[in-house]
Amino acid sequence: MSRQARKLEHLWHAVRSDLTSADFCDINLVHNCLPETSLKALDLSTNLAGINLRLPLFINAITGGVEDAECVNRELALTAKECGMALAVGSQMAALENPLYAKTFHVVREVYPDGIIFANIGAYSDVDMARRAVDMVRADALQIHLNVPQELMMKEGDTDFRGYRRQIEKIVGAVDVPVIIKEVGFGVAREQAAIFKELGVAAIDVGGKGGTNFMLIERRRAHAKTNPDLLKWGIPTAISILEAKAGAPDTDIVATGGLNSGLLAAKALALGANTVGIAGLAAKMLLAEGREKLVLCLNEMINELKMIMVMTGAHNIAELREVPLVVTGETRQWLDQREISLSELFSSR
């Protein structure tokens, strides 16, 4: 099957799958009954990899490289423009292999010329491909996605992942924009976060377990009868944020993986994320209910986030990352067994 046909199947399955949310039940924000702030006084701007963002939410990588994706990407770009958000395009590998599909990505810049746009390639890409991907959308940053479980489950997927570190290092040193490492739903552990820091990446998108499950999608595509327990593979989003912080404490963190509400976004930011990416929710709502409903949903998330900032006494995103919180349950047990100290992670609180 061609890459273009596969991308279309991915989109089809993702939109028809049930929307799932990350489990942040173990993460508890402490209420502030005497906040010295107001909704009108809030500053929601943040910084990611040296890039100033007006909002801490953005539309993360979804699709591209097939004819039908041009319309989807146009609508997503218009949504991001209306909401004032950054936008990451989906994997550009199909367009790098066949320039005919570049138009499915060009459309993003056509409708959102002044927006913050992230390009997207696979970790097996070479320097030339990385540069062409950035040029294709005049990108402000470059995502390099990692999807080992998906590839292994995919009937036509890759099975040899040797050399990825060296490729990432070469790309980091060659492109003129910040590089963001991006998982696609299986999380980032402390050990790999430390490696990414050494390689010089500007940010880590943890892409934790809790959102779109690409192992499940590939299982459905192949009509396979894989052990259902295997589909639970991965590091949950909340834990992955903390793992990444432990491994790369000075590296910016992007929280993605089932963050479908303002409350979940607030908790992710309070754990230390610089920004929150939204993908599955955006694709599903856009194709099922249209752009107006998606804009309404995203604005509702922003309003909910604002409420929580006031209820925790945070004037801005930096202060939200410093508010008191309590970590309990399985998340606390995981951190204890991994010898990740919450007191060290949150020493300033």
Side-chain angles (χ1 to χ4, degrees):
M1 176 180 291
S2 69
R3 188 186 298 273
Q4 292 76 25
R6 185 166 75 242
K7 293 298 181 184
L8 189 58
E9 281 196 9
H10 287 163
L11 182 61
W12 188 90
H13 282 285
V15 169
R16 285 159 180 77
S17 298
D18 292 335
L19 186 66
T20 58
S21 294
D23 184 357
F24 274 65
C25 291
D26 293 342
I27 312 302
N28 304 277
L29 298 172
V30 177
H31 173 59
N32 183 339
C33 67
L34 193 64
E36 287 288 330
T37 188
S38 72
L39 284 174
K40 293 182 179 180
L42 299 179
D43 177 7
L44 268 67
S45 64
T46 188
N47 186 281
L48 177 70
I51 302 169
N52 293 321
L53 304 178
R54 192 174 75 84
L55 294 170
L57 308 181
F58 74 100
I59 298 176
N60 213 346
I62 296 173
T63 189
V66 294
E67 293 290 343
D68 291 359
E70 183 174 356
C71 178
V72 174
N73 282 341
R74 177 185 290 107
E75 293 298 296
L76 289 173
L78 288 170
T79 298
K81 182 179 181 179
E82 185 169 347
C83 294
M85 294 180 174
L87 170 70
V89 300
S91 174
Q92 294 167 259
M93 302 310 297
L96 293 172
E97 294 173 354
N98 186 342
L100 290 175
Y101 296 103
K103 63 180 181 179
T104 70
F105 297 101
H106 291 160
V107 67
V108 171
R109 269 299 176 204
E110 291 172 4
V111 302
Y112 198 11
D114 300 322
I116 302 297
I117 305 295
F118 303 155
N120 185 306
I121 58 173
Y124 52 86
S125 303
D126 59 30
V127 167
D128 177 67
M129 297 171 81
R131 287 172 173 161
R132 286 192 289 131
V134 170
D135 291 343
M136 191 183 300
V137 294
R138 303 200 308 275
D140 299 277
L142 173 65
Q143 292 180 334
I144 301 179
H145 66 258
L146 301 168
N147 61 336
V148 172
Q150 179 188 7
E151 293 286 350
L152 293 174
M153 183 69 76
M154 192 187 307
K155 56 186 177 182
E156 67 272 61
D158 295 328
T159 59
D160 188 346
F161 309 101
R162 293 171 293 183
Y164 275 18
R165 295 187 193 184
R166 181 58 180 152
Q167 285 301 107
I168 292 169
E169 186 176 33
K170 287 181 178 179
I171 292 170
V172 168
V175 297
D176 295 327
V177 297
V179 172
I180 303 169
I181 287 294
K182 172 180 171 49
E183 243 292 352
V184 301
F186 308 100
V188 175
R190 173 181 56 189
E191 293 83 358
Q192 286 70 55
I195 292 172
F196 296 143
K197 178 181 178 181
E198 291 177 0
L199 296 178
V201 303
I204 300 171
D205 183 336
V206 300
K209 181 177 71 173
T212 303
N213 187 333
F214 280 98
M215 288 187 81
L216 176 60
I217 288 175
E218 297 301 344
R219 180 177 184 260
R220 288 174 175 169
R221 286 185 60 237
H223 303 286
K225 297 181 179 179
T226 311
N227 181 349
D229 288 339
L230 185 59
L231 302 177
K232 301 175 184 178
W233 184 266
I235 305 171
T237 302
I239 293 174
S240 191
I241 296 170
L242 296 170
E243 286 265 357
K245 279 180 60 66
D250 299 321
T251 302
D252 289 351
I253 302 296
V254 180
T256 57
L259 301 177
N260 300 324
S261 71
L263 176 59
L264 291 176
K267 288 185 176 184
L269 293 166
L271 286 178
N274 295 73
T275 186
V276 171
I278 303 161
L281 171 66
K284 191 174 184 67
M285 181 157 287
L286 175 67
L287 295 180
E289 302 187 53
R291 180 160 59 87
E292 289 186 6
K293 286 293 183 68
L294 175 57
V295 170
L296 179 63
C297 175
L298 294 175
N299 284 330
E300 287 175 350
M301 286 184 65
I302 293 168
N303 290 333
E304 186 173 299
L305 172 61
K306 288 180 177 179
M307 289 179 59
I308 294 163
M309 290 176 67
V310 172
M311 293 188 292
T312 57
H315 297 78
N316 51 51
I317 301 304
E319 290 186 8
L320 181 57
R321 297 175 68 193
E322 298 293 331
V323 300
L325 54 79
V326 178
V327 180
T328 61
E330 293 183 5
T331 301
R332 188 59 178 262
Q333 294 173 17
W334 176 296
L335 297 176
D336 288 344
Q337 291 197 34
R338 292 276 288 156
E339 297 182 348
I340 296 175
S341 170
L342 283 171
S343 60
E344 292 180 7
L345 287 179
F346 305 124
S347 57
S348 61
R349 300 189 184 188

